[in-house]
Amino acid sequence: MGVSSGASESLLPRAGGDGSLAMVIASTGVAVLGSFVFGVSIGYSAPTQSKIREDLQLSLSEYSVFGSIITIGAMIGAVASGHLADISGRKGAMRTSALVCIVGWLAIFFAQGAVSLDFGRFCTGFGVGVFSYVVPVFIAEIAPKALRGGLTTLNQLLVCTGLSVTYIVGTMVTWRMLVIAGFVPSIILIVGLSFIPESPRWLAKVGRQKEFEIALQRLRGKDADVSIEAAEIKEFIETIENLPKAGVQDLFNRAYIRPVIVGVGLMVFQQFVGINGILFYASETFVSAGFASGDLGTILMGCIQAPITAVGALLMDRSGRRPLLLISTSGLLIGSLMSAVSFYLKIHGLFLEQVPIIALAGILVYIASYSIGMGAVPWVIMSEIFPINIKGIGGSFVTLVNWSGSWAVSFAFNFFMSWSSSGTFFLFALVCAVAILFIVKIVPETKGKTLEEIQASMNSST
């Protein structure tokens, strides 16, 4: 899982201004409610699987559709998000996404069978796809340059917070009541959007000059001098408008093929290490390992995700991208092997008292390792390696690859576990090992470099 940050550099000049930050912080706070809903939507199936299957008498295949159909909705939402955000604005896209999520949560709450359940899950998936693009874009476009990185990081942090809340609260309430965790923030988001300004950069791009100046002044404070920043924004918009329009076929030109390989490769490994299978079906995985219920495991997963994601965000510009990725994938490899060994021991009747502890430790090592690097760093690198004239189409393509992988893993996970629980985690471990080689041989270090330096070095390597 993860959030598409590839678009977060779109329409971004060298912003300035040190005026009042109250409106910037308030606007960011409203926007990241979408990130929180994203996290709740992704995590919803983890603590609810056994309860929903029992109440609605769903088969394994029917529940696998419910668990994975969110990714189909997310793929469609991700593809539509760029066009939606360009036509209706960043606020308009978030408002539309929240409305679709509300419809989805209501459908899940009143579901009496698989059809209405799947429809609701699909709707929340569409909202997730739109939020994954537009929230980081909106935050990056309203923030002063000195705070852009920190504020944009709140997007990923709130996704993890939503996941954590869902894991913990989901063990204490019914699956219908858990809907409130996604429904209420969606309502608050729609209301909050009425009180914050639209992205000044989008307003400038569509030629709404007066509204652009008002929005920028509100964000920087009524006494701030925004003339220099406004001029930079206009100049940058003109530069973008003069660039040639790129199509998907241009991504495979020699000049761009290495960024495509790096971006797509990281997203493929991000998903095929198995993260969404584990997140979506955590409760059943712990039961399979020998626990009476999955409550303890899902609560502990929820407790560690957000804090470790915050640590990863703090380290990203200090330790570098590649070290975080290598630490993360090495931990994923260890966690997968521990989980595989625990299931192997259980199957063969060995050390049965220790099996649940080994499985729990393995999953927690896995989740902690993913949270510190592999969850966020691929999106950061993807936002840095594509030149501005293909950033939009490149980001959309890589995001589509990511959600396609998410669907494949989440749909197949239960079937793989039925085939061989230990074999499933040994396969994840193998993918982690290949990912380590890919990072060492292919992925560049981008810390401390300008975008132009990064892109020049990528081109010189092709």
Side-chain angles (χ1 to χ4, degrees):
M1 56 164 272
V3 176
S4 178
S5 302
S8 65
E9 293 288 340
S10 66
L11 309 182
L12 291 179
R14 292 166 57 89
D18 296 317
S20 171
L21 297 176
M23 184 54 71
V24 172
I25 294 172
S27 299
T28 300
V30 171
V32 295
L33 287 171
S35 308
F36 183 85
V37 174
F38 182 160
V40 172
S41 301
I42 293 296
Y44 181 80
S45 62
T48 60
Q49 178 172 358
S50 59
K51 301 170 188 175
I52 291 178
R53 286 187 64 186
E54 180 180 345
D55 289 354
L56 300 184
Q57 298 183 338
L58 301 182
S59 66
L60 176 63
S61 60
E62 286 176 324
Y63 191 85
S64 293
V65 171
F66 171 72
S68 62
I69 199 170
I70 187 173
T71 57
I72 298 176
M75 283 189 282
I76 296 173
V79 171
S81 60
H83 185 69
L84 181 62
D86 283 342
I87 296 299
S88 63
R90 300 352 183 184
K91 286 173 57 178
M94 286 188 281
R95 186 177 292 110
T96 300
S97 180
L99 286 170
V100 175
C101 282
I102 287 170
V103 171
W105 289 120
L106 289 174
I108 293 172
F109 184 83
F110 291 107
Q112 297 299 320
V115 174
S116 53
L117 202 65
D118 292 344
F119 172 76
R121 188 75 163 157
F122 176 85
C123 288
T124 59
F126 180 89
V128 161
V130 176
F131 281 139
S132 68
Y133 173 89
V134 75
V135 172
V137 166
F138 176 75
I139 296 172
E141 290 180 352
I142 67 171
K145 63 179 180 180
L147 297 177
R148 184 178 299 143
L151 290 176
T152 305
T153 300
L154 291 176
N155 172 58
Q156 183 68 19
L157 185 59
L158 264 292
V159 171
C160 292
T161 302
L163 279 165
S164 298
V165 168
T166 306
Y167 289 158
I168 295 170
V169 176
T171 64
M172 306 174 186
V173 300
T174 67
W175 60 271
R176 295 189 193 272
M177 291 303 295
L178 187 58
V179 164
I180 295 173
F183 179 81
V184 172
S186 299
I187 295 289
I188 297 173
L189 173 58
I190 291 175
V191 174
L193 287 171
S194 301
F195 298 96
I196 63 174
E198 178 58 270
S199 162
R201 289 160 174 81
W202 179 78
L203 292 170
K205 185 174 183 289
V206 297
R208 290 159 62 171
Q209 182 64 29
K210 187 172 181 60
E211 294 172 70
F212 156 66
E213 294 172 355
I214 293 172
L216 187 60
Q217 194 73 64
R218 287 184 67 192
L219 289 164
R220 301 296 177 258
K222 64 179 181 179
D223 297 324
D225 181 2
V226 299
S227 58
I228 296 176
E229 185 177 1
E232 289 180 341
I233 291 173
K234 293 175 188 177
E235 181 181 353
F236 195 83
I237 296 297
E238 291 173 2
T239 301
I240 288 178
E241 295 298 326
N242 291 330
L243 289 172
K245 302 296 183 184
V248 174
Q249 70 278 2
D250 296 312
L251 293 175
F252 303 97
N253 290 343
R254 180 177 174 81
Y256 306 131
I257 192 64
R258 187 164 183 236
V260 170
I261 291 172
V262 172
V264 169
L266 284 174
M267 295 306 172
V268 167
F269 287 118
Q270 185 192 60
Q271 292 303 324
F272 282 91
V273 296
I275 184 63
N276 278 336
I278 293 170
L279 290 180
F280 287 7
Y281 308 114
S283 181
E284 288 295 298
T285 301
F286 286 122
V287 171
S288 299
F291 284 94
S293 76
D295 290 354
L296 174 62
T298 52
I299 288 173
L300 291 175
M301 283 172 60
C303 289
I304 67 174
Q305 270 195 297
I308 294 180
T309 299
V311 171
L314 292 173
L315 292 175
M316 194 173 300
D317 286 321
R318 299 182 182 182
S319 64
R321 281 57 157 158
R322 275 165 52 97
L324 271 184
L325 283 174
L326 289 171
I327 291 170
S328 179
T329 47
S330 298
L332 287 167
L333 174 60
I334 293 170
S336 296
L337 288 175
M338 290 175 66
S339 300
V341 168
S342 71
F343 283 111
Y344 179 85
L345 293 174
K346 182 186 177 187
I347 292 170
H348 291 83
L350 303 172
F351 304 104
L352 292 180
E353 292 185 1
Q354 287 74 38
V355 163
I357 297 173
I358 298 172
L360 176 61
I363 295 296
L364 292 181
V365 168
Y366 180 100
I367 293 297
S369 301
Y370 186 88
S371 298
I372 203 167
M374 204 60 179
V377 176
W379 295 109
V380 174
I381 292 179
M382 188 266 285
S383 74
E384 296 171 325
I385 59 178
F386 286 110
I388 188 66
N389 60 316
I390 66 160
K391 189 179 288 290
I393 192 71
S396 296
F397 178 71
V398 170
T399 302
L400 181 60
V401 169
N402 182 275
W403 282 112
S404 299
S406 176
W407 173 81
V409 172
S410 60
F411 181 77
F413 182 80
N414 274 335
F415 297 105
F416 272 98
M417 289 292 284
S418 298
W419 160 68
S420 172
S421 51
S422 61
T424 299
F425 281 93
F426 277 125
L427 284 175
F428 291 158
L430 177 62
V431 174
C432 293
V434 177
I436 292 172
L437 293 176
F438 178 82
I439 293 163
V440 170
K441 296 291 186 181
I442 304 295
V443 177
E445 178 55 74
T446 60
K447 184 193 80 166
K449 298 179 181 179
T450 66
L451 295 181
E452 290 75 21
E453 289 171 341
I454 295 167
Q455 291 150 19
S457 67
M458 298 285 284
N459 289 336
S460 66
S461 302
T462 57

